[in-house]
Amino acid sequence: MQLHLNRKSALITGASQGIGKEVAMQLAKEGVRVILTSNDEDKLNDACDEINKDGGSARAIYADLTLQKDIDNLNKNNN
């Protein structure tokens, strides 16, 4: 699929597994720089490593979006 998203950035929540991970992987294949978030740090890092090893550009930021401090940290890391 050609979405013309090359060199764009996307923040994907719930990106350590399932639909979130698949969305991140597909966007990365389109040339999107993906920022992955999840509350499962080990799976999050594994997903990020997988995308980067496949030639994508991924960055992982642990965040439990039920906690305000993690939301604030996520905002700080993306400004």
Coordinates of all heavy atoms in Angstrom, one line a residue:
M1 N 0.8 -1.2 0.0 CA 0.0 0.0 0.0 C 0.9 1.2 0.0 O 1.8 1.3 0.8 CB -0.9 0.0 1.3 CG -1.8 1.1 1.4 SD -2.8 1.2 2.9 CE -3.1 -0.5 3.3
Q2 N 0.6 2.2 -0.8 CA 1.4 3.4 -0.9 C 0.6 4.6 -0.4 O -0.3 5.1 -1.0 CB 1.8 3.6 -2.4 CG 3.1 4.3 -2.7 CD 4.2 4.1 -1.8 OE1 4.4 4.8 -0.8 NE2 5.1 3.1 -2.1
L3 N 0.9 5.0 0.9 CA 0.1 6.0 1.5 C 0.8 7.4 1.5 O 0.3 8.4 2.0 CB -0.1 5.7 3.0 CG -0.9 4.4 3.2 CD1 -0.9 4.0 4.7 CD2 -2.3 4.5 2.6
H4 N 2.0 7.5 0.9 CA 2.8 8.7 0.8 C 3.0 9.4 2.1 O 2.8 10.6 2.3 CB 2.1 9.7 -0.2 CG 1.8 9.1 -1.5 ND1 2.8 8.8 -2.4 CD2 0.6 8.7 -2.1 CE1 2.3 8.3 -3.5 NE2 1.0 8.2 -3.3
L5 N 3.4 8.5 3.1 CA 3.7 9.0 4.5 C 5.1 9.0 4.8 O 5.5 9.3 5.9 CB 2.9 8.1 5.5 CG 1.4 8.1 5.4 CD1 0.8 7.0 6.3 CD2 0.8 9.4 5.7
N6 N 6.0 8.8 3.8 CA 7.4 8.7 4.0 C 7.9 10.0 4.8 O 7.5 11.1 4.4 CB 8.2 8.6 2.7 CG 9.6 8.2 2.9 OD1 10.0 7.5 3.8 ND2 10.4 8.8 2.0
R7 N 8.7 9.8 5.8 CA 9.3 10.9 6.6 C 8.3 11.6 7.5 O 8.6 12.6 8.1 CB 10.1 11.8 5.7 CG 11.2 11.1 5.0 CD 11.9 12.0 4.0 NE 12.5 13.2 4.7 CZ 13.1 14.1 4.1 NH1 13.4 14.0 2.8 NH2 13.6 15.1 4.8
K8 N 7.1 11.0 7.7 CA 6.2 11.6 8.6 C 6.4 10.8 10.0 O 7.2 9.9 10.0 CB 4.7 11.3 8.2 CG 4.3 11.9 6.9 CD 4.2 13.4 7.0 CE 3.8 14.0 5.7 NZ 3.6 15.4 5.7
S9 N 5.8 11.3 11.0 CA 6.0 10.7 12.3 C 4.6 10.3 12.9 O 3.6 11.0 12.6 CB 6.6 11.6 13.3 OG 7.9 11.9 12.9
A10 N 4.5 9.2 13.6 CA 3.3 8.8 14.2 C 3.5 8.2 15.6 O 4.5 7.5 15.9 CB 2.6 7.7 13.4
L11 N 2.6 8.6 16.5 CA 2.7 8.1 17.9 C 1.6 7.0 18.0 O 0.4 7.2 17.7 CB 2.4 9.2 18.9 CG 2.2 8.8 20.3 CD1 3.5 8.3 20.9 CD2 1.7 10.0 21.1
I12 N 2.0 5.8 18.4 CA 1.1 4.7 18.4 C 1.0 4.2 19.9 O 2.1 3.8 20.4 CB 1.5 3.5 17.5 CG1 1.5 3.9 16.0 CG2 0.6 2.3 17.7 CD1 2.8 4.2 15.5
T13 N -0.1 4.2 20.5 CA -0.3 3.7 21.8 C -0.7 2.2 21.8 O -1.2 1.7 20.7 CB -1.4 4.5 22.6 OG1 -2.6 4.3 21.8 CG2 -1.1 5.9 22.7
G14 N -0.4 1.5 22.8 CA -0.7 0.1 22.8 C 0.1 -0.7 21.8 O -0.4 -1.6 21.2
A15 N 1.3 -0.2 21.6 CA 2.1 -0.7 20.4 C 3.0 -1.9 20.7 O 3.7 -2.3 19.9 CB 3.0 0.5 19.9
S16 N 2.9 -2.5 21.9 CA 3.7 -3.6 22.2 C 3.2 -4.9 21.6 O 4.0 -5.9 21.6 CB 3.9 -3.7 23.7 OG 2.7 -4.1 24.3
Q17 N 2.0 -5.0 21.3 CA 1.4 -6.3 20.8 C 0.1 -6.0 20.0 O -0.4 -4.9 20.0 CB 1.2 -7.2 21.9 CG 0.2 -6.8 22.9 CD 0.1 -7.7 24.1 OE1 0.7 -8.7 24.1 NE2 -0.7 -7.3 25.1
G18 N -0.4 -7.0 19.4 CA -1.7 -7.0 18.7 C -1.8 -5.9 17.6 O -0.9 -5.7 16.9
I19 N -3.0 -5.3 17.6 CA -3.3 -4.3 16.6 C -2.3 -3.1 16.6 O -1.9 -2.6 15.6 CB -4.7 -3.8 16.7 CG1 -5.7 -5.0 16.4 CG2 -5.0 -2.6 15.8 CD1 -7.2 -4.7 16.7
G20 N -2.0 -2.6 17.8 CA -1.1 -1.5 17.9 C 0.3 -1.8 17.3 O 0.8 -1.0 16.6
K21 N 0.8 -2.9 17.6 CA 2.1 -3.3 17.0 C 2.0 -3.5 15.5 O 2.9 -3.0 14.8 CB 2.6 -4.7 17.7 CG 3.9 -5.1 17.1 CD 4.3 -6.5 17.8 CE 5.6 -7.0 17.2 NZ 5.9 -8.3 17.7
E22 N 0.9 -4.1 15.0 CA 0.8 -4.3 13.6 C 0.7 -2.9 12.9 O 1.2 -2.7 11.8 CB -0.4 -5.1 13.3 CG -0.5 -5.5 11.8 CD 0.6 -6.3 11.3 OE1 1.3 -7.1 12.0 OE2 0.9 -6.2 10.0
V23 N -0.1 -2.0 13.5 CA -0.2 -0.6 12.9 C 1.2 0.0 12.8 O 1.6 0.6 11.8 CB -1.2 0.2 13.7 CG1 -1.0 1.7 13.3 CG2 -2.6 -0.3 13.5
A24 N 2.0 -0.1 13.9 CA 3.3 0.5 13.9 C 4.2 -0.2 12.9 O 4.9 0.5 12.2 CB 3.9 0.3 15.3
M25 N 4.1 -1.5 12.7 CA 5.0 -2.2 11.7 C 4.6 -1.7 10.3 O 5.5 -1.5 9.5 CB 4.8 -3.7 11.9 CG 5.4 -4.1 13.2 SD 5.2 -5.9 13.5 CE 6.4 -6.6 12.3
Q26 N 3.3 -1.6 10.0 CA 2.9 -1.3 8.7 C 3.3 0.2 8.4 O 3.7 0.5 7.3 CB 1.4 -1.5 8.5 CG 1.0 -3.0 8.5 CD 1.7 -3.8 7.5 OE1 1.9 -3.4 6.3 NE2 2.2 -4.9 7.9
L27 N 3.1 1.1 9.3 CA 3.5 2.5 9.1 C 5.0 2.6 8.9 O 5.4 3.3 8.0 CB 3.0 3.3 10.3 CG 1.5 3.6 10.4 CD1 1.2 4.3 11.7 CD2 1.1 4.4 9.2
A28 N 5.8 1.8 9.7 CA 7.2 1.9 9.5 C 7.6 1.4 8.1 O 8.5 1.9 7.5 CB 7.9 1.0 10.6
K29 N 6.9 0.4 7.6 CA 7.2 -0.1 6.2 C 6.9 1.0 5.2 O 7.5 1.0 4.1 CB 6.4 -1.4 5.9 CG 6.9 -2.6 6.7 CD 6.0 -3.8 6.4 CE 6.5 -5.0 7.2 NZ 5.7 -6.2 7.0
E30 N 6.0 1.9 5.5 CA 5.7 3.0 4.6 C 6.7 4.2 4.8 O 6.5 5.2 4.1 CB 4.3 3.5 4.9 CG 3.2 2.6 4.5 CD 3.0 2.4 3.0 OE1 3.2 3.4 2.3 OE2 2.7 1.3 2.5
G31 N 7.7 4.0 5.7 CA 8.6 5.1 5.9 C 8.3 6.1 7.0 O 9.0 7.1 7.1
V32 N 7.3 5.7 7.8 CA 6.9 6.6 8.9 C 7.9 6.3 10.1 O 8.2 5.2 10.4 CB 5.5 6.3 9.3 CG1 5.1 7.1 10.5 CG2 4.5 6.6 8.1
R33 N 8.3 7.4 10.7 CA 9.1 7.3 12.0 C 8.0 7.1 13.1 O 7.2 7.9 13.3 CB 9.9 8.5 12.2 CG 11.0 8.7 11.2 CD 11.7 10.0 11.4 NE 10.7 11.1 11.2 CZ 11.0 12.2 10.4 NH1 12.2 12.3 9.9 NH2 10.1 13.1 10.2
V34 N 8.1 5.9 13.7 CA 7.1 5.6 14.7 C 7.6 5.7 16.1 O 8.7 5.3 16.4 CB 6.5 4.1 14.5 CG1 5.7 4.1 13.2 CG2 7.5 3.1 14.4
I35 N 6.8 6.2 17.0 CA 7.0 6.3 18.4 C 6.0 5.4 19.1 O 4.8 5.5 18.9 CB 6.9 7.7 18.9 CG1 7.8 8.7 18.2 CG2 7.1 7.8 20.4 CD1 7.4 10.1 18.3
L36 N 6.6 4.3 19.7 CA 5.7 3.3 20.3 C 5.5 3.6 21.8 O 6.5 3.9 22.5 CB 6.4 1.9 20.1 CG 6.9 1.6 18.7 CD1 7.5 0.2 18.8 CD2 5.8 1.6 17.7
T37 N 4.3 3.4 22.3 CA 4.1 3.5 23.7 C 3.3 2.3 24.2 O 2.5 1.7 23.4 CB 3.3 4.7 24.1 OG1 2.0 4.7 23.6 CG2 4.0 6.0 23.7
S38 N 3.6 1.9 25.4 CA 2.8 0.7 26.0 C 3.2 0.7 27.5 O 4.1 1.3 27.9 CB 3.3 -0.6 25.4 OG 2.8 -1.7 26.0
N39 N 2.3 0.0 28.2 CA 2.6 -0.2 29.7 C 3.3 -1.5 29.9 O 3.5 -1.9 31.1 CB 1.4 0.0 30.5 CG 0.3 -1.1 30.2 OD1 0.5 -1.9 29.3 ND2 -0.8 -1.1 30.9
D40 N 3.7 -2.2 28.9 CA 4.5 -3.5 29.0 C 5.9 -3.2 28.4 O 6.1 -3.3 27.2 CB 3.8 -4.6 28.3 CG 4.5 -5.9 28.5 OD1 5.8 -6.0 28.6 OD2 3.8 -6.9 28.6
E41 N 6.8 -2.8 29.3 CA 8.1 -2.3 28.8 C 8.9 -3.4 28.0 O 9.5 -3.1 27.0 CB 9.0 -1.8 30.0 CG 10.1 -1.0 29.6 CD 10.7 -0.2 30.7 OE1 10.3 -0.4 31.9 OE2 11.5 0.7 30.5
D42 N 8.9 -4.6 28.5 CA 9.6 -5.7 27.8 C 9.1 -5.9 26.3 O 9.9 -5.9 25.4 CB 9.6 -7.0 28.5 CG 10.4 -6.9 29.8 OD1 11.4 -6.1 29.9 OD2 10.1 -7.7 30.8
K43 N 7.8 -6.1 26.2 CA 7.2 -6.2 24.9 C 7.4 -5.0 24.0 O 7.6 -5.1 22.8 CB 5.7 -6.6 25.0 CG 5.5 -8.0 25.5 CD 4.0 -8.3 25.6 CE 3.8 -9.7 26.1 NZ 2.3 -10.0 26.2
L44 N 7.3 -3.8 24.7 CA 7.5 -2.6 23.9 C 8.9 -2.5 23.3 O 9.0 -2.2 22.1 CB 7.3 -1.4 24.9 CG 7.5 0.0 24.3 CD1 6.5 0.3 23.3 CD2 7.5 1.0 25.4
N45 N 9.9 -2.8 24.1 CA 11.3 -2.8 23.6 C 11.5 -3.9 22.5 O 12.2 -3.6 21.5 CB 12.3 -3.0 24.7 CG 12.3 -1.8 25.6 OD1 12.2 -0.7 25.2 ND2 12.6 -2.0 26.9
D46 N 10.8 -5.0 22.7 CA 10.9 -6.1 21.6 C 10.3 -5.6 20.3 O 10.9 -5.8 19.2 CB 10.2 -7.4 22.1 CG 11.0 -8.1 23.2 OD1 12.2 -7.8 23.4 OD2 10.4 -9.0 23.8
A47 N 9.1 -5.0 20.4 CA 8.5 -4.5 19.2 C 9.3 -3.4 18.5 O 9.5 -3.4 17.3 CB 7.1 -3.9 19.5
C48 N 9.9 -2.5 19.3 CA 10.8 -1.4 18.8 C 12.0 -2.0 18.1 O 12.3 -1.7 16.9 CB 11.2 -0.5 19.9 SG 12.1 0.9 19.3
D49 N 12.6 -3.0 18.7 CA 13.8 -3.7 18.1 C 13.4 -4.4 16.8 O 14.2 -4.3 15.8 CB 14.4 -4.7 19.1 CG 15.1 -4.0 20.3 OD1 15.4 -2.8 20.3 OD2 15.3 -4.8 21.3
E50 N 12.3 -5.0 16.8 CA 11.8 -5.7 15.6 C 11.7 -4.8 14.4 O 12.1 -5.0 13.3 CB 10.5 -6.5 15.9 CG 10.1 -7.3 14.7 CD 8.8 -8.1 15.1 OE1 8.5 -8.3 16.3 OE2 8.1 -8.5 14.1
I51 N 11.0 -3.6 14.7 CA 10.8 -2.6 13.6 C 12.2 -2.1 13.1 O 12.4 -2.0 11.9 CB 9.9 -1.5 14.1 CG1 8.5 -2.1 14.3 CG2 9.9 -0.3 13.1 CD1 7.5 -1.1 15.0
N52 N 13.0 -1.8 14.0 CA 14.4 -1.2 13.6 C 15.2 -2.2 12.9 O 15.9 -1.9 11.9 CB 15.1 -0.7 14.9 CG 14.5 0.6 15.4 OD1 14.1 1.5 14.6 ND2 14.5 0.8 16.7
K53 N 15.1 -3.5 13.3 CA 15.9 -4.6 12.6 C 15.4 -4.8 11.2 O 16.1 -5.2 10.3 CB 15.8 -5.9 13.4 CG 16.7 -5.9 14.6 CD 16.6 -7.2 15.3 CE 17.4 -7.1 16.6 NZ 17.2 -8.2 17.5
D54 N 14.1 -4.5 11.0 CA 13.5 -4.6 9.6 C 13.7 -3.4 8.8 O 13.1 -3.3 7.7 CB 11.9 -4.9 9.8 CG 11.6 -6.3 10.2 OD1 12.5 -7.2 10.1 OD2 10.5 -6.6 10.6
G55 N 14.5 -2.4 9.3 CA 14.8 -1.3 8.5 C 13.9 -0.1 8.8 O 14.1 1.0 8.1
G56 N 13.0 -0.2 9.7 CA 12.2 0.9 10.0 C 12.8 1.9 11.0 O 14.0 1.6 11.5
S57 N 12.2 2.9 11.4 CA 12.7 3.9 12.4 C 11.7 3.9 13.5 O 10.6 4.5 13.4 CB 12.8 5.2 11.7 OG 13.2 6.2 12.7
A58 N 12.0 3.3 14.7 CA 11.1 3.2 15.8 C 11.8 3.7 17.1 O 13.0 3.5 17.2 CB 10.6 1.8 16.0
R59 N 11.1 4.3 17.9 CA 11.5 4.7 19.3 C 10.5 4.3 20.3 O 9.3 4.4 20.0 CB 11.7 6.2 19.3 CG 12.1 6.8 20.6 CD 12.4 8.3 20.4 NE 12.1 8.9 21.6 CZ 11.8 10.2 21.8 NH1 11.6 10.9 20.7 NH2 11.6 10.7 22.9
A60 N 10.9 3.7 21.4 CA 10.0 3.3 22.4 C 10.0 4.2 23.6 O 11.1 4.6 24.1 CB 10.4 1.8 22.9
I61 N 8.8 4.5 24.1 CA 8.7 5.3 25.3 C 7.6 4.6 26.2 O 6.5 4.5 25.8 CB 8.2 6.7 25.1 CG1 9.2 7.5 24.2 CG2 8.0 7.5 26.4 CD1 8.8 8.8 23.7
Y62 N 8.1 4.1 27.3 CA 7.2 3.4 28.3 C 6.2 4.4 28.8 O 6.6 5.5 29.2 CB 7.9 2.8 29.4 CG 7.0 2.3 30.5 CD1 6.4 1.1 30.5 CD2 6.7 3.2 31.6 CE1 5.5 0.7 31.4 CE2 5.8 2.8 32.6 CZ 5.2 1.5 32.5 OH 4.3 1.1 33.5
A63 N 4.9 4.1 28.8 CA 3.9 5.0 29.3 C 2.6 4.2 29.7 O 2.1 3.4 28.8 CB 3.5 6.1 28.3
D64 N 2.2 4.3 30.9 CA 0.9 3.8 31.3 C 0.0 5.0 31.3 O 0.0 5.9 32.1 CB 1.0 3.3 32.8 CG -0.3 2.7 33.3 OD1 -1.3 3.0 32.7 OD2 -0.2 1.9 34.3
L65 N -0.9 5.0 30.3 CA -1.7 6.2 30.0 C -2.9 6.3 31.0 O -3.7 7.3 30.9 CB -2.3 6.2 28.6 CG -1.2 6.2 27.5 CD1 -1.8 6.2 26.1 CD2 -0.3 7.4 27.7
T66 N -2.9 5.5 32.0 CA -3.8 5.7 33.2 C -3.2 6.6 34.2 O -3.8 7.0 35.2 CB -4.3 4.4 33.8 OG1 -3.2 3.7 34.4 CG2 -5.0 3.5 32.7
L67 N -1.9 6.9 34.1 CA -1.1 7.7 35.1 C -0.7 9.0 34.5 O -0.1 9.1 33.5 CB 0.1 6.9 35.5 CG -0.1 5.5 36.1 CD1 1.3 4.9 36.4 CD2 -0.9 5.6 37.4
Q68 N -1.2 10.1 35.1 CA -0.9 11.4 34.6 C 0.6 11.7 34.5 O 1.1 12.3 33.5 CB -1.5 12.5 35.6 CG -1.4 13.9 35.0 CD -2.1 14.1 33.7 OE1 -3.2 13.7 33.5 NE2 -1.4 14.7 32.7
K69 N 1.4 11.2 35.4 CA 2.9 11.4 35.3 C 3.5 10.8 34.1 O 4.4 11.4 33.5 CB 3.6 10.9 36.6 CG 3.6 9.4 36.7 CD 4.4 8.9 37.9 CE 4.5 7.5 38.1 NZ 5.2 6.8 37.0
D70 N 2.9 9.7 33.6 CA 3.4 9.0 32.4 C 3.0 9.8 31.2 O 3.7 9.9 30.2 CB 3.0 7.6 32.3 CG 3.8 6.7 33.2 OD1 4.7 7.1 33.9 OD2 3.5 5.4 33.2
I71 N 1.8 10.4 31.2 CA 1.3 11.2 30.1 C 2.2 12.4 30.0 O 2.6 12.8 28.9 CB -0.2 11.6 30.3 CG1 -1.1 10.3 30.2 CG2 -0.6 12.6 29.3 CD1 -2.5 10.5 30.7
D72 N 2.5 13.1 31.2 CA 3.3 14.2 31.2 C 4.7 13.9 30.6 O 5.3 14.7 29.8 CB 3.4 14.8 32.6 CG 2.1 15.4 33.1 OD1 1.2 15.7 32.3 OD2 2.0 15.5 34.3
N73 N 5.3 12.8 31.0 CA 6.6 12.3 30.5 C 6.5 12.1 29.0 O 7.5 12.5 28.3 CB 7.0 11.1 31.2 CG 8.4 10.6 30.8 OD1 9.3 11.4 30.8 ND2 8.5 9.4 30.5
L74 N 5.5 11.5 28.5 CA 5.3 11.3 27.1 C 5.3 12.6 26.3 O 6.0 12.7 25.3 CB 4.1 10.4 26.8 CG 3.8 10.0 25.4 CD1 4.9 9.1 24.9 CD2 2.5 9.3 25.3
N75 N 4.5 13.5 26.8 CA 4.5 14.9 26.2 C 5.9 15.5 26.2 O 6.3 16.1 25.2 CB 3.5 15.8 26.9 CG 2.1 15.4 26.6 OD1 1.7 14.9 25.6 ND2 1.2 15.6 27.6
K76 N 6.6 15.4 27.3 CA 7.9 16.0 27.4 C 8.9 15.4 26.4 O 9.7 16.1 25.8 CB 8.4 15.9 28.8 CG 9.8 16.5 29.1 CD 10.2 16.5 30.5 CE 10.2 15.1 31.1 NZ 10.7 15.0 32.4
N77 N 8.8 14.1 26.2 CA 9.7 13.4 25.3 C 9.4 13.6 23.9 O 10.2 13.3 23.0 CB 9.7 11.9 25.6 CG 10.6 11.5 26.8 OD1 11.8 11.7 26.7 ND2 10.0 10.9 27.8
N78 N 8.2 14.1 23.5 CA 7.9 14.3 22.1 C 7.8 15.8 21.7 O 7.4 16.1 20.6 CB 6.5 13.6 21.9 CG 6.7 12.2 21.8 OD1 7.5 11.7 21.0 ND2 6.1 11.5 22.7
N79 N 8.2 16.7 22.6 CA 8.3 18.1 22.2 C 9.7 18.5 21.7 O 10.6 17.9 21.8 CB 7.9 19.0 23.4 CG 6.4 18.9 23.6 OD1 5.6 18.7 22.7 ND2 6.0 19.0 24.9

